[in-house]
Amino acid sequence: MKFNLVSLDLNLRKANERISFSDVTYFWGQMGAGKSSIARLVDYCLGGTIQLSPALQAEFLSAKLTVELEQSTLTVERQRDASNVFVTWQTQDSPYSAVLPARVAAGEAVPETGVETLSDLIFWLSGVSPPRVRKSKIKEDSKAVRLTVRDLLWYCYLDQDHIDSSFFHLEEAAEFYLRLKSRDVIRYVIGYHDERVADLEAELDQLRANRTARAASIESLNRALVEVGIGSEQQINERETVLRAAIAAANAEIAALRVALRDTQTTHAVDQLSAQARLLGSQVASLEENADELRATRDRHLRHRNEIEMLALKFRRSAVAREILGDVKFTECPRCAQQLPHHPQGCCEVCGQDDLAELADPAEVDALDVDIASRQAELTDAIKAIDVNLKAIGVLQNAQLEAKQRIEAALNRVMAERDTAFLSMALLKERERAALEAELNSIKWLLRLPQMLQEQREALAVIVALEQSTREALKEARTQAESDRSSLDRFAGYFIDCLVLAGVPGIQRNDRVMLEPPTFYPSIYSNDPADLTASTFTSLSSGGKKTLFKCCFAVALHRIASHLHAPLPELLILDSPMKNISERENRAQFEGFYRMLYGLKSGELAQTQMVLIDKEFLAPPTNLEIDILSRHMQPDSAEHQPLIRYYRGK
């Protein structure tokens, strides 16, 4: 992935400074001149954090980095202590600019691009889709998250502070989440995370999101049906049948009233309404009585479940105590420390009673735990069922109370109107029919809810089946991708080659490199089968060996990325690879390491830009055509100027 640094512009209190970069840029000189600050400021513009040196604390205001990417030249400007960056880039149409989060996404920042952060913009302008990996490598249901440019830069920028103290977060002592991310980067570079795997992971992530949405929709529909007192389509149909029968009966009664003689009508509407009100009152009271019984049963189940849980806890505590104290021999009273009297065989040494402290059989304990869990689950299900019934009773009770209130209002109205028996009954039946027809019309939309619920369940079943098949396909794709060891073996070969060329003491060309998934933590063994000693980053006692070991691993990863055309930024910043090495006492390692870099730059890594920071300078061999920019830096010097040319201080 093309990633060419062009320049770094610093906005300082008294002046501006520009640092230009070449194919190979070599900053060297005395300590305190600001060499490492250049790399830190580049990393800061790319979303990193920075610990400002005293000079930068006094003078630094902002930094602007210009980078050539595959499809455009990007300028990133970041103010001091800012969490956002101001970016500009040029396309064929026109220039663009935006303010983006340096690291933490807050929604799409560039419309219709999916760009949320600076990392997304770099991938987008490079024509690369941001790789997605599972957040958890243990849970198959884990969502996919993006690998960011910041993750890839771990292998592109080896900072001075950690170059000899951590190994790309791959060691066991590293933070768990960072270790998984670092492994994902290696998998991504060497092809274990290929396009097929990425596509399947994205598809699985989408199916997982759809399944969650469907399940939430089903839950909402179930809750809506319970709230209206309807549990299934059959219940709605039964209610519709009852309403139609009631309407037909009301129509028949109205027709009978019209043909009957008025003077033969004896029943008054007041009598019928009073009877209906009394009936509804008794039904409401009966429902309340049923609800009270259900609440009492629920309380009993709840107490029973709590008692079971408490007894299980006491049993486990007692079993543990018996297991701990079972073999303890008491010679003195644990309370008063006096000598215990002699007790017959088979009696407790403390209390003198029959010794019943037999250790529980582990199989019996496990079986008891299973029984306890089963009983607790039964009680929990029973409580949930009671809660559903209580809610249904509450809905029915509210409906009957509303009906009772309507009848009582009608009763009051009829008594106030003082109509004849015929007229009162005719009006009553007309109102009843109108109410029934209104309820019948309103219940029709409820018929759609069970249908929608069934449709959602069928769609969920399809999604679950498709998710399972996709998960199996993803597992097969991962296995197939990881079965090809050619890239991993080539990577290991590059690593041992770099170590030998750099002259790392104790490493031979015929040594074996163990570089196995899923850890990808390298170990080097002698070619002698009898020699089982392993050289790892952690076991190396020399700080100088550690820096060379780590630098060679990063160079090897860039070599395999170049060979596979993997989307790793073609940038390698090495800050103080001779940090723990004397150029005079270890001349072979000093020259060997830099000659190895120059040789690779003229060949395999011709497209990789290198920024080298060290105490001393080694020029490339004259037979290699390398465009190198060397800057000698010394603090408080006019000839070899420091980073902030005018600054004089700490």
Side-chain angles (χ1 to χ4, degrees):
M1 188 169 77
K2 183 177 180 181
F3 200 93
N4 188 25
L5 303 181
V6 178
S7 63
L8 175 67
D9 294 282
L10 302 183
N11 181 19
L12 307 171
R13 294 186 185 278
K14 297 180 181 179
N16 293 329
E17 295 283 356
R18 164 164 285 200
I19 298 97
S20 298
F21 298 94
S22 182
D23 262 3
V24 177
T25 309
Y26 203 134
F27 301 102
W28 62 286
Q30 297 178 3
M31 67 179 70
K35 305 184 302 296
S36 294
S37 294
I38 296 174
R40 292 183 183 127
L41 287 167
V42 170
D43 185 62
Y44 179 69
C45 289
L46 295 174
T49 58
I50 188 171
Q51 183 65 45
L52 297 176
S53 65
L56 290 176
Q57 290 179 41
E59 303 298 326
F60 176 65
L61 297 176
S62 67
K64 181 171 67 175
L65 180 67
T66 302
V67 185
E68 285 186 358
L69 302 176
E70 189 66 36
Q71 299 177 356
S72 181
T73 298
L74 175 67
T75 299
V76 183
E77 184 173 0
R78 188 174 181 184
Q79 301 293 320
R80 178 172 175 172
D81 299 326
S83 58
N84 293 332
V85 294
F86 179 73
V87 294
T88 59
W89 68 94
Q90 178 77 38
T91 64
Q92 296 179 351
D93 300 331
S94 60
Y96 289 88
S97 62
V99 176
L100 296 177
R103 302 183 73 158
V104 181
E108 190 176 61
V110 182
E112 301 180 1
T113 62
V115 172
E116 299 182 0
T117 62
L118 175 61
S119 173
D120 296 337
L121 180 63
I122 291 174
F123 278 124
W124 186 63
L125 292 178
S126 300
V128 176
S129 298
R132 301 178 68 87
V133 297
R134 280 191 302 161
K135 185 174 182 178
S136 171
K137 306 301 183 290
I138 301 175
K139 299 178 181 178
E140 289 189 351
D141 212 29
S142 175
K143 68 177 183 179
V145 296
R146 294 181 180 180
L147 279 180
T148 68
V149 169
R150 297 294 317 163
D151 302 327
L152 301 181
L153 285 178
W154 290 342
Y155 292 90
C156 300
Y157 169 41
L158 278 63
D159 64 293
Q160 183 185 36
D161 294 338
H162 301 97
I163 197 169
D164 59 346
S165 61
S166 68
F167 193 75
F168 307 106
H169 309 291
L170 289 175
E171 65 274 17
E172 287 300 320
E175 189 175 344
F176 180 72
Y177 178 64
L178 295 177
R179 186 163 69 247
L180 295 182
K181 273 293 195 73
S182 188
R183 293 176 184 176
D184 284 331
V185 172
I186 295 180
R187 297 167 66 89
Y188 179 58
V189 171
I190 67 176
Y192 277 17
H193 186 83
D194 59 15
E195 293 184 4
R196 171 65 174 162
V197 173
D199 292 342
L200 287 172
E201 285 182 340
E203 183 179 348
L204 185 61
D205 199 40
Q206 184 62 44
L207 287 171
R208 193 178 295 116
N210 292 342
R211 172 171 55 80
T212 303
R214 293 284 184 182
S217 178
I218 290 173
E219 179 65 24
S220 299
L221 286 173
N222 275 326
R223 190 163 52 249
L225 288 172
V226 170
E227 288 177 356
V228 297
I230 300 296
S232 65
E233 185 176 356
Q234 180 181 359
Q235 290 180 339
I236 296 178
N237 290 330
E238 291 175 355
R239 180 59 180 164
E240 183 183 12
T241 302
V242 170
L243 287 174
R244 292 189 182 279
I247 292 173
N251 288 332
E253 291 179 1
I254 292 172
L257 285 173
R258 287 175 179 169
V259 299
L261 295 176
R262 296 189 178 187
D263 54 356
T264 61
Q265 184 68 26
T266 57
T267 303
H268 197 281
V270 171
D271 300 328
Q272 185 169 346
L273 289 172
S274 299
Q276 291 177 355
R278 287 192 298 272
L279 178 61
L280 285 172
S282 62
Q283 290 176 349
V284 169
S286 177
L287 287 174
E288 183 63 30
E289 183 179 351
N290 293 337
D292 290 339
E293 292 179 359
L294 286 174
R295 292 190 192 98
T297 304
R298 186 186 187 280
D299 291 339
R300 287 196 301 273
H301 287 340
L302 188 59
R303 286 195 300 272
H304 191 188
R305 189 179 66 179
N306 293 339
E307 289 172 359
I308 290 176
E309 186 173 354
M310 182 58 66
L311 290 174
L313 180 61
K314 289 181 179 179
F315 173 77
R316 294 190 192 97
R317 190 179 297 166
S318 176
V320 171
R322 285 198 301 272
E323 185 175 355
I324 294 174
L325 300 176
D327 295 330
V328 176
K329 301 298 182 182
F330 288 93
T331 59
E332 297 177 348
C333 177
R335 181 179 181 275
C336 63
Q338 297 184 68
Q339 189 76 21
L340 290 172
H342 176 72
H343 296 295
Q345 186 73 19
C347 295
C348 175
E349 298 173 350
V350 179
C351 67
Q353 302 180 73
D354 292 339
D355 194 354
L356 302 178
E358 297 181 0
L359 296 181
D361 186 1
E364 294 180 359
V365 174
D366 293 339
L368 184 61
D369 287 339
V370 172
D371 291 341
I372 290 173
S374 176
R375 182 55 180 158
Q376 286 177 328
E378 291 176 0
L379 291 173
T380 300
D381 292 340
I383 291 173
K384 289 181 179 179
I386 290 174
D387 289 338
V388 172
N389 289 333
L390 283 174
K391 198 162 190 177
I393 288 175
V395 171
L396 183 58
Q397 192 175 24
N398 290 334
Q400 291 186 346
L401 285 172
E402 292 176 0
K404 185 173 179 292
Q405 290 173 357
R406 288 196 302 269
I407 290 175
E408 289 174 347
L411 178 60
N412 294 333
R413 184 172 56 251
V414 170
M415 293 179 67
E417 291 173 351
R418 298 183 182 276
D419 292 326
T420 62
F422 170 79
L423 183 57
S424 65
M425 286 299 297
L427 292 174
L428 177 62
K429 293 303 177 182
E430 291 286 352
R431 292 191 183 108
E432 286 182 0
R433 183 177 63 179
L436 291 171
E437 289 175 346
E439 185 179 355
L440 180 61
N441 291 330
S442 66
I443 206 174
K444 288 180 179 179
W445 72 271
L446 287 176
L447 193 60
R448 180 61 181 151
L449 289 181
Q451 295 173 356
M452 292 173 60
L453 184 60
Q454 184 61 28
E455 291 172 1
Q456 293 288 345
R457 285 172 176 162
E458 292 174 356
L460 179 62
V462 172
I463 291 174
V464 169
L466 186 58
E467 185 180 359
Q468 181 62 31
S469 62
T470 305
R471 186 177 287 113
E472 293 296 328
L474 177 60
K475 187 182 298 182
E476 182 180 351
R478 285 202 184 106
T479 303
Q480 185 175 358
E482 295 180 8
S483 63
D484 183 6
R485 288 189 53 91
S486 58
S487 298
L488 189 60
D489 293 339
R490 183 181 291 270
F491 181 23
Y494 284 150
F495 183 40
I496 195 71
D497 181 60
C498 290
L499 290 171
V500 172
L501 291 176
V504 178
I507 305 297
Q508 304 296 325
R509 176 70 67 179
N510 58 355
D511 285 347
R512 295 178 292 111
V513 179
M514 297 297 293
L515 189 61
E516 297 296 325
T519 64
F520 297 107
Y521 188 68
S523 302
I524 299 180
Y525 293 86
S526 171
N527 195 40
D528 183 4
D531 187 358
L532 301 179
T533 59
S535 297
T536 65
F537 180 82
T538 307
S539 67
L540 293 174
S541 59
S542 168
K545 283 186 179 181
K546 285 188 174 183
T547 56
L548 291 179
F549 196 86
K550 183 174 181 178
C551 289
C552 288
F553 191 82
V555 172
L557 188 65
H558 278 265
R559 291 176 69 179
I560 190 65
S562 176
H563 175 76
L564 299 175
H565 304 287
L568 182 70
E570 294 174 334
L571 173 68
L572 187 58
I573 303 176
L574 301 179
D575 186 0
S576 304
M578 299 294 127
K579 176 181 178 181
N580 303 301
I581 300 174
S582 169
E583 293 81 356
R584 183 186 62 194
E585 296 294 333
N586 299 280
R587 193 70 186 176
Q589 285 73 36
F590 172 61
E591 293 185 356
F593 178 75
Y594 281 108
R595 291 187 187 280
M596 178 264 292
L597 289 180
Y598 293 145
L600 293 174
K601 177 60 185 173
S602 64
E604 297 177 37
L605 301 183
Q607 303 301 319
T608 301
Q609 185 183 29
M610 296 183 182
V611 178
L612 309 175
I613 301 170
D614 219 327
K615 305 185 296 291
E616 296 290 341
F617 173 66
L618 181 71
T622 56
N623 62 330
L624 299 180
E625 297 183 359
I626 296 177
D627 184 9
I628 186 169
L629 175 63
S630 168
R631 179 173 171 179
H632 189 187
M633 302 171 65
Q634 295 178 348
D636 304 333
S637 172
E639 180 181 2
H640 305 296
Q641 295 177 334
L643 175 60
I644 304 177
R645 300 173 190 269
Y646 66 84
Y647 183 79
R648 299 292 182 270
K650 295 181 180 179

